Amino acid sequence: MNLTAIEEFPLRTGLTQFNHASYGLSSLRTIAEGERLRRRIESDPTRHLGAELTEQLTAQTELVAQVLDLEPARLTLCANATSAAAAITASVPLSPDSTVVVLDVEYASIRRAWEVACAKAGARLTTATILTPVESAADVVAALDRQIAGPVDYLQVSVITSSTAIHLPIPALSEWAVQRGGQLVLDAAHAPGHLPLPADMWGAMAAFGTLHKWFPTLRPVGFLWLDSDFDVRPAEVSLTWDSPDLGERFAWPGTFDPIPRLSVDTALGQWLEWHADGRLAASETLTDTIDRAMVGISARPTAAPQFRPPRMRSFVLDRITAPQLKEALQKADIRAWVGHGTAGECLLRLATHIYNDENDIDRVTSRIQEVLSR
């Protein structure tokens, strides 16, 4: 573990962390700012949780839009990716004639959200299987063509899939949706702070995700981006539900903790420092080292190099079960995401941050080798 970088985080000494992609990791600087803001609010909550709060949330949203190079009027902060996705699925005009397509590599709760929405409307939901490793955009499109007949209304895909860590070919998938008469909905949970997003979100009608996975924000902080023609309301009806302004509409979901959103500026400032001094780029280089090390112990990447995210990789491990691997890593104080793929295979996902170094890679590969040799 990089001892200089570890001083910027509250991680326990001796812990090898490769799993910030699940929950994120707040920096000590952001935690301190959050505590300062909390003391200020609690000094006079009647004042600080009123109109003043909406103004401050607007300023934070505008800053996020600036850093992500997105139009502020089309962006709002919200609780998390799940709440943003719920707002979308509750707002789309589904009917018994509608067809929604979701990839089997999508996050489980997002697939379930579309199941619930389609069941209420009597719409058709089709889950398309995407085989790994993903080798080309043409293969992904061909898989959709084989499995999906006729027009579609909505296609739900991830910019980067969660458990399989595949940077999907979004331009090709967007084009496929348009050709089938449908619209694209993006799960961008793993994009902000990890890779750039285009201003038009590849022609999507809506995108949702989080900031707390790849920026050092307090958790949770979600976001929702909308095409100008798509009107979305929060899933919960609150005092600001009817506001014509997108940011204000999501600014008050009932009484909530605003501190994670109010301290976003501190987290973004620190992330920009890491970007400027090359530490994020060094993390990307380290991730490529992980590829070589994992392949060296016979792990199989879930995608060809062009579809691997900059700082997150997933591998299939044979001759071991997910529970066995999870237990082995836990006992060694190594934190990584371990689970099952869609075919029941054992998946290991590793995400790098500025506190990781090659010693961490040696630790995880050595531990896996120990288990495989038993």
Side-chain angles (χ1 to χ4, degrees):
M1 174 128 352
N2 185 319
L3 294 180
T4 301
I6 199 63
E7 294 174 355
E8 300 188 51
F9 297 91
L11 281 173
R12 174 167 57 82
T13 301
L15 188 72
T16 298
Q17 168 70 311
F18 276 122
N19 195 33
H20 72 271
S22 281
Y23 309 108
L25 187 64
S26 305
S27 68
L28 291 171
R29 185 188 302 181
T30 309
I31 291 171
E33 174 62 7
E35 291 174 348
R36 185 191 71 80
L37 289 169
R38 190 174 303 283
R39 287 193 297 271
R40 179 175 181 272
I41 285 178
E42 297 306 330
S43 71
D44 190 354
T46 303
R47 172 188 174 187
H48 299 310
L49 292 179
E52 175 186 292
L53 176 61
T54 301
E55 296 175 0
Q56 292 174 339
L57 291 175
T58 297
Q60 295 290 346
T61 302
E62 291 174 349
L63 179 59
V64 171
Q66 178 183 344
V67 172
L68 298 183
D69 199 21
L70 300 174
E71 186 180 335
R74 298 166 72 175
L75 185 74
T76 184
L77 300 182
C78 56
N80 48 48
T82 303
S83 64
I88 293 171
T89 56
S91 300
V92 291
L94 294 174
S95 74
D97 296 324
S98 302
T99 297
V100 177
V101 177
V102 179
L103 306 187
D104 67 343
V105 290
E106 295 302 301
Y107 196 64
S109 68
I110 303 305
R111 297 200 310 269
R112 182 59 180 145
W114 282 107
E115 287 176 359
V116 171
C118 287
K120 288 181 179 179
R124 178 188 178 194
L125 176 67
T126 301
T127 301
T129 299
I130 303 298
L131 299 178
T132 57
V134 170
E135 299 285 354
S136 72
D139 287 345
V140 175
V141 171
L144 288 175
D145 283 335
R146 285 194 304 271
Q147 298 172 71
I148 310 300
V152 304
D153 292 274
Y154 304 104
L155 172 64
Q156 169 73 65
V157 300
S158 291
V159 178
I160 299 173
T161 62
S162 182
S163 57
T164 49
I166 301 168
H167 183 190
L168 288 170
I170 303 301
L173 291 170
S174 178
E175 183 179 355
W176 184 89
V178 171
Q179 290 175 349
R180 293 298 187 96
Q183 299 188 77
L184 185 69
V185 179
L186 288 177
D187 180 344
H190 286 286
H194 188 187
L195 50 79
L197 290 166
D200 69 345
M201 292 289 181
W202 297 281
M205 64 177 285
F208 61 88
T210 61
L211 301 184
H212 61 255
K213 288 183 182 292
W214 296 91
F215 290 113
T217 68
L218 300 177
R219 72 181 70 80
V221 182
F223 76 90
L224 173 66
W225 177 95
L226 300 177
D227 178 80
S228 57
D229 295 328
F230 184 34
D231 183 35
V232 166
R233 301 285 158 169
E236 64 276 277
V237 179
S238 68
L239 294 174
T240 59
W241 192 88
D242 291 303
S243 174
D245 180 82
L246 179 63
E248 185 177 14
R249 197 181 306 160
F250 283 81
W252 188 258
T255 302
F256 76 111
D257 182 8
I259 301 302
R261 301 186 208 181
L262 294 178
S263 55
V264 160
D265 55 349
T266 298
L268 294 183
Q270 191 168 24
W271 180 89
L272 288 170
E273 291 175 12
W274 297 338
H275 179 73
D277 66 20
R279 283 191 280 180
L280 296 178
S283 294
E284 294 182 13
T285 300
L286 189 67
T287 313
D288 290 333
T289 303
I290 287 177
D291 277 349
R292 294 188 291 271
M294 292 298 294
V295 170
I297 59 172
S298 301
R300 294 181 283 124
T302 55
Q306 66 268 32
F307 299 112
R308 298 174 192 170
R311 292 170 49 205
M312 185 169 79
R313 306 291 161 84
S314 192
F315 304 89
V316 177
L317 287 163
D318 301 314
R319 299 184 293 115
I320 190 173
T321 66
Q324 288 173 333
L325 179 58
K326 184 178 295 186
E327 181 182 13
L329 296 182
Q330 286 279 354
K331 288 182 177 178
D333 264 355
I334 299 171
R335 303 294 182 257
W337 185 88
V338 178
H340 295 102
T342 56
E345 69 275 27
C346 176
L347 285 177
L348 170 66
R349 189 188 71 195
L350 302 172
T352 61
H353 210 326
I354 64 168
Y355 45 68
N356 293 120
D357 59 22
E358 293 195 10
N359 291 326
D360 295 335
I361 300 175
D362 291 340
R363 284 196 68 194
V364 70
T365 53
S366 296
R367 184 58 176 162
I368 293 171
Q369 284 181 304
E370 289 176 14
V371 177
L372 292 176
S373 64
R374 292 175 185 170

